[in-house]
Amino acid sequence: TFITSVVKVNNLIVVKTLTGNGANAGAVVDKLNYEGIIGSVAGDDTLLVVCDTDERALSVVEKINEFMK
């Protein structure tokens, strides 16, 4: 997988990726259409996901971690 870590801080999720894969991670998360995601911003090796609540952010992190298996 190109995702190296997923960290939740309140209603925000920081997804670290291999260099050059931030946009790819963003595209995957967008296509999965997880409930509660307000939006995301991708850089070269990082994706920031903004959720509507802390609880939904936790759910999204769990789903991303499951997707990575």
Side-chain angles (χ1 to χ4, degrees), residues 6-59:
V6 181
V7 177
K8 176 193 162 307
V9 180
N10 300 319
N11 68 317
L12 305 175
I13 303 166
V14 177
V15 180
K16 296 296 286 181
T17 70
L18 298 175
T19 301
N21 285 286
N24 293 336
V28 169
V29 169
D30 287 347
K31 283 194 180 270
L32 294 174
N33 202 27
Y34 291 144
E35 187 175 347
I37 293 178
I38 295 171
S40 62
V41 178
D44 184 54
D45 64 354
T46 306
L47 171 66
L48 175 65
V49 180
V50 181
C51 296
D52 56 359
T53 66
D54 293 358
E55 294 78 19
R56 286 240 174 99
L58 180 59
S59 174

